[in-house]
Amino acid sequence: MNAETDIGPYERDIIAQLGCSPQDATMVEDIMRHFVFHSTLDRQSRTELDCGAREAWAMLEADREMFEECYTAANVPEPRRLKPVARHSGAVG
């Protein structure tokens, strides 16, 4: 399977809207699910999805290093299955 056929419909829409890479679209989609809507994307209207993609893109751009660390630290071959993890502050308690 090549990368082009492995891109899902939400990722395709995100790429078309934002002009981003497939890797960024995968992160944006996941940020939309877990940080913007806290829900599945199929419950959102087209307008909500468009606004959510822009909001998720802004979050990714504002803290790209943290998001990329979260997505690559899991070392999972399919980024779509990754879940962002909270950055550990090192404090115990």
Side-chain angles (χ1 to χ4, degrees):
M1 201 181 292
N2 67 37
E4 182 64 29
T5 59
D6 198 33
I7 295 173
Y10 292 117
E11 291 162 311
R12 280 188 238 291
D13 289 347
I14 291 165
I15 291 167
Q17 179 183 358
L18 303 175
C20 64
S21 70
Q23 294 81 13
D24 282 354
T26 299
M27 288 190 283
V28 167
E29 179 182 346
D30 204 64
I31 292 167
M32 288 169 65
R33 292 177 190 280
H34 294 97
F35 295 96
V36 176
F37 297 117
H38 307 282
S39 178
T40 60
L41 300 182
D42 61 344
R43 298 173 186 247
Q44 313 309 320
S45 70
R46 170 56 47 200
T47 300
E48 290 170 327
L49 287 171
D50 290 347
C51 290
R54 288 191 299 275
E55 183 177 343
W57 179 255
M59 292 173 72
L60 175 61
E61 287 295 284
D63 206 351
R64 180 174 284 278
E65 183 179 338
M66 186 272 301
F67 282 111
E68 287 181 347
E69 182 179 310
C70 290
Y71 287 98
T72 58
N75 198 22
V76 177
E78 293 187 45
R80 188 171 299 135
R81 294 190 178 157
L82 299 180
K83 301 291 183 263
V85 294
R87 185 179 278 184
H88 191 280
S89 66
V92 177

